[in-house]
Amino acid sequence: MYRKILITTDGSAVSKHTACAGVKFAQQMGAEVLALFVAPEYQYPVYVEIIPPSYPSEDEYIEQMKRIGNEHLNSIMHACQEGGLRYSGMTAFSDATAAKIVEVADEQQCDLIFMGSHGRSGWGQLLLGSVTNKVLSHTQKPVLVHRLIKEPGS
């Protein structure tokens, strides 16, 4: 049914559990996995006349975020390898995370976006599920929202 599934991660414990569930779902479908980490854009320091020496350059920042992204994507890659799934991973840069997720899903011709929800209600859902809610409202692709009932380790 689905040939290519986009699994998103932000590196948190919740998203790691979601990614694990996404890989299991991809195994059931026999689908390829594209894992995505969206890093914030580089921000120049504002209200300063010179950049402090300890502040990373744009190139240093990009390299650091790619390393961090690869660390977050590694667990998904290993799970896909163990499950015999085709896998690719990427780190993208954007301050509009939801829009970037939708853009990547379209560009990479994914059939499904697999994302997490923190399983909270009320104000917590409004604040913590904002990326998932924005993706749901800005894509025409199917989105499978994995709801985590309780926090990992609890």
Side-chain angles (χ1 to χ4, degrees):
M1 181 174 190
Y2 298 110
R3 293 179 313 248
K4 190 171 188 180
I5 299 173
L6 175 66
I7 299 175
T8 62
T9 185
D10 63 7
S12 67
V14 170
S15 71
K16 286 178 183 178
H17 282 274
T18 297
C20 202
V23 170
K24 287 178 185 172
F25 182 78
Q27 280 180 297
Q28 293 171 353
M29 297 289 117
E32 176 183 350
V33 170
L34 170 62
L36 174 66
F37 171 71
V38 180
E41 296 276 352
Y42 179 76
Q43 300 293 319
Y44 290 97
V46 292
Y47 304 117
V48 294
E49 292 182 21
I50 60 169
I51 296 176
S54 62
Y55 202 81
S57 70
E58 186 170 4
D59 290 339
E60 291 169 336
Y61 174 80
I62 289 170
E63 285 305 311
Q64 181 180 14
M65 286 296 107
K66 285 181 179 179
R67 273 193 307 276
I68 290 169
N70 286 337
E71 289 173 14
H72 295 325
L73 298 173
N74 269 339
S75 60
I76 301 171
M77 178 185 68
H78 291 302
C80 288
Q81 287 173 342
E82 288 175 7
L85 298 174
R86 287 183 53 206
Y87 164 86
S88 57
M90 67 184 296
T91 297
F93 292 86
S94 179
D95 289 329
T97 304
K100 182 53 86 173
I101 291 168
V102 171
E103 178 185 319
V104 167
D106 289 339
E107 287 175 357
Q108 299 296 318
Q109 300 173 342
C110 296
D111 304 305
L112 175 76
I113 301 171
F114 195 100
M115 300 184 71
S117 169
H118 293 282
R120 294 188 177 100
S121 59
W123 286 107
Q125 181 182 21
L126 178 66
L127 297 172
L128 296 170
S130 62
V131 172
T132 302
N133 286 331
K134 286 177 186 174
V135 168
L136 283 166
S137 64
H138 287 93
T139 188
Q140 295 181 357
K141 294 188 180 295
V143 179
L144 196 155
V145 179
H146 178 260
R147 184 168 181 245
L148 191 63
I149 304 300
K150 61 181 182 177
E151 290 292 325
S154 62

